Amino acid sequence: LEKTLLEKIGRHAEALEYEAAAVLRDRLYALRRTMEKQRTVILAGAEDRDVFGLYSEGRFTEIQILFYRGGKMLGGRGYSFEYREMPDDELLSSFLLQFYAQAQIIPSEILLPLALEDAGTLAGILSEERGGRVSVLCPQRGEKRALIDLAQRNAKNGFAEKRLADKAVRDTLEQIRRILNLPRTPERIECFDVSTIQGESTVAAMVVFENGLPAKGRYRRFSMRGVTGQDDFASLREALMRRYTRAIAENDLPDLLLIDGGKGQLNVAGAVLKDLGIEDLPHAGIAKARAGESGAGAAERFFLPGRMNPVIPPQSGPVVHLLARIRDEAHRFAIGFHRQRRTKAGLASVLTEIPGIGPAKARTLLNRLGSVAKIRETPVEAIAVLPGFNPGLAEAVLRHLNEASRRPASSEGPKPPVEGDSE
């Protein structure tokens, strides 16, 4: 059964079906826990203990922790380290200090797979933090060693499973390179999408995937500064120009620029890159064909510069799965920002009804205080000290909002939001 589960996990990982692989992985862990003898029930001594396992291969290390409380295993957790430069004992010692500095519970006994030179010092530090004695041990035989062996096997299995997932991602990125005829493996992909509804609150969004995973700290949102009305091409051009002007200055170009759209959007991207002198930056457009169009069904198509017909990879393959996922994430991020802008514009329109409050002062109130409800709860003195405000205007704002909250809801429905200046 374990072999069967491992094979299924591998197939799901290769297809980038990580949720399905995670379900089977948890099932595999449950199977292993069921088959392992619960030796802690018959062990004398500490009822609470953490058991550590460590597995290293090359410069990669996996540390597994098994948590025993009240003599029973409650579960475990794994940590991965890449490109380590220190020996295993130094890595483990450093890890223990950091782990227990943040741990809510320090057990009375810690079992380690290898002896540490500073085990005594570590035990003293942890004892002081716990307010009671903590033993840091490296048993070589007996039941306690059997617990460490279990943690060691978990560390090795965790290492193998993560390496399998990494291998699947690397293989997918290499397929993308080959299918889209890229000069290098696209380890970092930046994808852009423009969102607008009836020409209002047009925004653009960029998401970044690194080695097949979202790097959310690198996501960016763009409010249009030089575009009026609904012009998706002009909005895309502005966002790309702003992003890659900065990227050139910071030497921070991606391996692949992916655009949500077809030939038109791709031509905009190509023109921007040429204007910036980086026309050799690989770029492609992704667009889903309409059902029945050119006999392609609803296939995901990829448009490449200098190629008339789109590339249509196998729709069930990992290339389409990953690139469509990146496009969908960009769309989700853009839509979320667009809704936020529309909501903020609607709130601003409520504030601009107040005599003496224009768009600039409305934005000041919302940026500093957050919402109309919070503005209503803010003391007059706190509003009066905001830029452009005074005690009289602050009193007028609160009086208007309090009167509005007591008025019955209008049967005419909400007014359309008024767009303010870009952020």
Side-chain angles (χ1 to χ4, degrees):
L1 181 56
E2 180 176 292
K3 181 180 179 181
T4 300
L5 287 173
L6 281 170
E7 291 175 350
K8 290 182 178 179
I9 290 172
R11 289 198 293 270
H12 283 304
E14 290 176 358
L16 299 184
E17 298 169 348
Y18 297 123
E19 291 81 5
V23 171
L24 294 181
R25 178 203 62 202
D26 293 342
R27 195 172 296 170
L28 177 62
Y29 286 162
L31 172 66
R32 288 170 175 165
R33 286 196 298 269
T34 301
M35 299 305 295
E36 288 291 340
K37 181 180 179 181
Q38 289 282 349
R39 293 182 170 88
T40 51
V41 175
I42 62 173
L43 281 179
E47 288 294 302
D48 295 344
R49 57 169 54 88
D50 290 347
V51 183
F52 287 78
L54 181 147
Y55 179 80
S56 294
E57 188 173 304
R59 297 168 64 192
F60 298 87
T61 298
E62 181 80 10
I63 292 178
Q64 280 278 337
I65 314 170
L66 301 180
F67 305 107
Y68 292 83
R69 301 292 182 261
K72 296 182 180 179
M73 182 196 292
L74 297 186
R77 188 172 181 183
Y79 296 85
S80 300
F81 299 88
E82 298 183 357
Y83 309 115
R84 63 182 181 86
E85 298 291 348
M86 60 180 66
D88 287 346
D89 57 343
E90 293 183 16
L91 174 64
L92 182 58
S93 178
S94 176
F95 173 79
L96 290 170
L97 286 172
Q98 296 182 52
F99 178 77
Y100 285 112
Q102 303 175 10
Q104 295 181 346
I105 298 175
I106 299 177
S108 58
E109 188 173 85
I110 298 172
L111 303 183
L112 305 179
L114 46 85
L116 303 181
E117 289 186 5
D118 58 353
T121 303
L122 178 63
I125 294 173
L126 296 182
S127 297
E128 183 175 347
E129 289 291 327
R130 182 174 182 267
R133 183 181 178 185
V134 176
S135 299
V136 180
L137 307 174
C138 177
Q140 299 301 311
R141 61 183 65 85
E143 296 289 348
K144 291 183 179 180
R145 185 67 208 186
L147 296 180
I148 292 176
D149 291 341
L150 170 59
Q152 292 281 80
R153 289 197 295 276
N154 281 359
K156 183 176 181 179
N157 291 331
F159 177 90
E161 289 161 10
K162 289 176 181 177
R163 295 285 79 74
L164 179 63
D166 290 345
K167 182 178 181 299
V169 170
R170 297 298 303 177
D171 180 67
T172 299
L173 295 178
E174 181 59 25
Q175 289 186 54
I176 293 174
R177 183 199 65 76
R178 178 173 50 81
I179 290 175
L180 300 186
N181 194 28
L182 305 178
R184 57 185 175 274
T185 303
E187 295 180 354
R188 190 168 103 227
I189 301 173
E190 295 182 355
C191 181
F192 283 76
D193 183 38
V194 172
S195 177
T196 183
I197 298 178
Q198 297 177 346
E200 292 184 355
S201 303
T202 301
V203 300
M206 177 190 81
V207 301
V208 181
F209 273 57
E210 294 178 342
N211 292 315
L213 296 174
K216 295 192 175 182
R218 300 181 67 102
Y219 285 18
R220 295 292 181 269
R221 304 179 300 187
F222 302 87
S223 298
M224 296 302 104
R225 297 171 179 170
V227 179
T228 57
Q230 183 171 356
D231 190 337
D232 289 358
F233 287 173
S235 299
L236 177 61
R237 177 180 174 82
E238 179 181 323
L240 293 174
M241 188 66 78
R242 286 162 57 185
R243 162 58 190 154
Y244 291 110
T245 298
R246 181 172 181 176
I248 292 171
E250 298 177 351
N251 192 24
D252 187 37
L253 295 172
D255 299 306
L256 172 64
L257 163 60
L258 187 65
I259 304 293
D260 181 13
K263 288 184 179 180
Q265 287 82 358
L266 183 66
N267 290 337
V268 170
V272 170
L273 299 180
K274 184 175 181 180
D275 290 345
L276 294 174
I278 53 171
E279 58 267 29
D280 57 344
L281 176 66
H283 51 290
I286 174 174
K288 188 185 290 291
R290 292 185 294 273
E293 182 180 337
S294 302
E300 297 283 7
R301 304 174 299 169
F302 297 91
F303 295 88
L304 303 177
R307 180 185 172 109
M308 180 173 295
N309 297 321
V311 175
I312 306 178
Q315 296 299 291
S316 60
V319 169
V320 169
H321 285 174
L322 178 56
L323 294 180
R325 179 190 171 201
I326 295 174
R327 185 270 318 280
D328 293 344
E329 174 70 353
H331 185 65
R332 179 200 66 78
F333 192 53
I335 287 292
F337 185 38
H338 182 265
R339 288 172 178 166
Q340 176 184 327
R341 289 292 308 280
R342 284 172 60 86
T343 300
K344 193 170 183 179
L347 293 175
S349 70
V350 173
L351 295 173
T352 53
E353 295 174 355
I354 305 172
I357 300 296
K361 287 187 173 68
R363 286 198 302 275
T364 297
L365 288 169
L366 291 172
N367 289 337
R368 296 294 184 91
L369 302 177
S371 68
V372 171
K374 290 184 179 179
I375 295 171
R376 190 183 297 119
E377 298 170 357
T378 302
V380 171
E381 297 78 11
I383 297 177
V385 298
L386 295 176
F389 286 80
N390 55 52
L393 186 56
E395 290 178 358
V397 168
L398 292 178
R399 183 169 56 252
H400 180 93
L401 293 180
N402 287 326
E403 290 174 355
S405 68
R406 290 192 291 268
R407 288 198 294 265
S410 171
S411 60
E412 298 177 359
K415 297 181 179 180
V418 177
E419 176 64 29
D421 293 340
S422 299
E423 295 182 354

